[in-house]
Amino acid sequence: MTDFIHKRKTEHIELSLKEEALGKGVTTGFDHYRFVHNALPEINFNHIDLFANFFGYSLKTPFLISSMTGGAELAETINRHLAIAAEERGWIFALGSTRVMTESEKYRSSFQIKRFAPSIPVVANIGAVQLNYGMTGEQCLRILEWTEADAFVLHLNSIQEIIQPEGDKDFSNLLPKIEKLVRQLPVPVGVKEVGFGIDSSVAKKLTDAGIRFIDVAGAGGTSWSQIEKLRSNEKIKKQAAEAFASWGNPTAECLIDVGEALPNQLMLASGGIRTGLDAAKAIALGASHVGFARGVLKDAITSEEAVLEWMEVRELELQMAMFGTGARSIQTLKESSRLKKV
Ligand SMILES: Cc1cc2nc3c(=O)[nH]c(=O)nc-3n(C[C@H](O)[C@H](O)[C@H](O)COP(=O)(O)O)c2cc1C
């Protein structure tokens, strides 16, 4: 089973870099928004502050590396590069699914990145559906011990599981199990999608279940029906996946929908975020933190220096958007009235 997961992880990394890994005919929705330029910002660029807070952690930026990987040799290298860079720049680091840790010791070290990133929050991850397939609260506690993670996130990936050859398809009765897990774990528990988005009705149920943060992980970037289509040898599934290339709620729409319904819920944005300008729009639409996955992957394979450079560009883009709108802090950007629908 673990070698099987190991192979799958490696394939996911390789395939997600392909152009076909992106959804087709769907965008994040950020292209429908534009900041009205402020020619007289009345702030000193050098005083722009990207400071953000995440469950008691003071961070230099509102950015996170979204959950990607672990449990394979290549994943170990990727996670090390990402963790070292995230520590230096003050980004949150979210691990890929940590389920494999409970099945074998073999690749456990690929998730044990706290040694490279002692001062930033690390988030552990499993598929919520695993709660229907034998994953217990005790195992999640063990994952927290092994990873020394500061938060735990459950991913919802229903459509992916259908096309995935070995997919787990029973998503029934998960909410009470999520609620139980929230009470069992000593760290904040959040929920994310993997690129098809979370709408306000689901977000409300999760919030009522005690979920402390929601990463909408919307459409417009990586598409997991596309990736599983590329992996699959099953003719029927490959054809059906094609119809879902444009599936999902665009990230910008999710932010508006969830933000309006649940103004007090901590909302994270991810899904197709490419630049710090996209991130600025996400923040102005209500996100408190913004995550990148596929966008950093190529550099994460290369070196920590490549990741650091990539991060600096994203930070500068965000600072420029803040300068261009006259927002000195993330909070001011969040409250900005300069984001217009076009
Ligand atoms: C190679 C790769 C592996 C991923 N693995 C996971 C995972 O294990 N758990 C998870 O919650 N999301 C996973 N994701 C989904 C991302 O966290 C993110 O939600 C999604 O890719 C959308 O962001 P993007 O458009 O910036 O890639 C993965 C993404 C990539 C590219």
Side-chain angles (χ1 to χ4, degrees):
M1 181 70 172
T2 48
D3 285 340
F4 188 48
I5 295 182
H6 166 236
K7 182 170 173 281
R8 185 169 82 201
K9 303 266 177 192
T10 311
E11 286 174 2
H12 280 163
I13 294 166
E14 288 164 357
L15 293 174
S16 64
L17 289 169
K18 290 182 181 264
E19 198 56 32
E20 301 106 287
L22 296 171
K24 278 192 283 190
V26 62
T27 71
T28 56
F30 292 121
D31 39 350
H32 299 311
Y33 288 88
R34 182 175 68 78
F35 281 110
V36 177
H37 175 61
N38 179 350
L40 186 64
E42 295 277 47
I43 53 173
N44 180 341
F45 181 82
N46 293 332
H47 293 166
I48 289 175
D49 190 356
L50 301 186
F51 167 85
N53 192 40
F54 186 75
F55 297 108
Y57 274 91
S58 296
L59 293 162
K60 285 185 243 173
T61 77
F63 288 135
L64 78 143
I65 299 293
S66 292
S67 301
M68 272 192 286
T69 200
E73 289 94 349
L74 181 55
E76 179 140 9
T77 310
I78 290 174
N79 280 352
R80 190 180 63 250
H81 292 158
L82 289 171
I84 292 171
E87 169 75 17
E88 187 169 329
R89 304 299 306 178
W91 289 43
I92 301 168
F93 183 74
L95 296 162
S97 175
T98 46
R99 168 185 162 202
V100 67
M101 294 185 94
T102 63
E103 287 164 8
S104 160
E105 282 187 29
K106 202 167 165 191
Y107 298 111
R108 231 174 250 173
S109 64
S110 64
F111 296 100
Q112 292 172 322
I113 54 88
K114 200 70 183 178
R115 61 205 144 122
F116 306 118
S119 78
I120 55 162
V122 169
V123 184
N125 175 304
I126 62 160
V129 73
Q130 294 314 317
L131 300 173
N132 273 351
Y133 288 85
M135 176 69 81
T136 63
E138 284 68 30
Q139 285 175 319
C140 295
L141 283 167
R142 210 128 320 126
I143 288 172
L144 283 176
E145 262 171 51
W146 289 324
T147 56
E148 300 174 66
D150 307 277
F152 202 87
V153 73
L154 299 164
H155 66 257
L156 299 172
N157 65 336
S158 54
I159 296 293
Q160 178 189 9
E161 294 285 351
I162 304 308
I163 306 298
Q164 189 161 284
E166 61 285 7
D168 293 324
K169 301 183 182 66
D170 181 8
F171 274 68
S172 59
N173 215 23
L174 276 181
L175 199 59
K177 291 180 183 138
I178 292 175
E179 191 166 5
K180 186 168 169 225
L181 188 67
V182 167
R183 278 189 262 113
Q184 232 175 326
L185 297 189
V187 297
V189 179
V191 168
K192 71 186 282 290
E193 233 286 338
V194 295
F196 294 130
I198 292 180
D199 79 309
S200 57
S201 69
V202 170
K204 171 124 191 10
K205 285 185 198 163
L206 293 168
T207 303
D208 291 344
I211 284 297
R212 302 276 300 282
F213 62 98
I214 292 173
D215 178 347
V216 299
T222 307
S223 159
W224 283 91
S225 56
Q226 287 289 90
I227 294 181
E228 296 300 349
K229 180 188 79 181
L230 295 173
R231 270 186 77 219
S232 179
N233 295 319
E234 297 174 62
K235 214 171 141 203
I236 301 284
K237 284 187 177 179
K238 272 174 124 53
Q239 290 178 66
E242 196 56 45
F244 280 73
S246 65
W247 183 260
N249 313 339
T251 302
E253 268 180 37
C254 295
L255 293 172
I256 294 164
D257 183 30
V258 175
E260 277 175 7
L262 299 161
N264 298 321
Q265 176 60 278
L266 187 70
M267 183 170 65
L268 277 55
S270 75
I273 310 277
R274 288 182 183 85
T275 66
L277 176 54
D278 285 344
K281 291 179 184 178
I283 291 167
L285 290 175
S288 47
H289 303 268
V290 184
F292 299 81
R294 182 181 184 271
V296 67
L297 191 54
K298 205 159 146 271
D299 289 318
I301 294 170
T302 309
S303 67
E304 66 208 49
E305 289 79 17
V307 177
L308 280 168
E309 185 178 318
W310 176 90
M311 285 177 162
E312 277 194 56
V313 180
R314 303 293 83 84
E315 290 169 24
L316 179 56
E317 289 162 348
L318 175 58
Q319 285 164 327
M320 286 171 68
M322 291 170 74
F323 201 45
T325 55
R328 192 179 175 282
S329 68
I330 295 296
Q331 189 55 36
T332 326
L333 177 63
K334 218 171 173 181
E335 290 158 7
S336 172
S337 53
R338 287 186 168 272
L339 191 67
K340 303 285 181 213
K341 195 146 195 207
V342 285

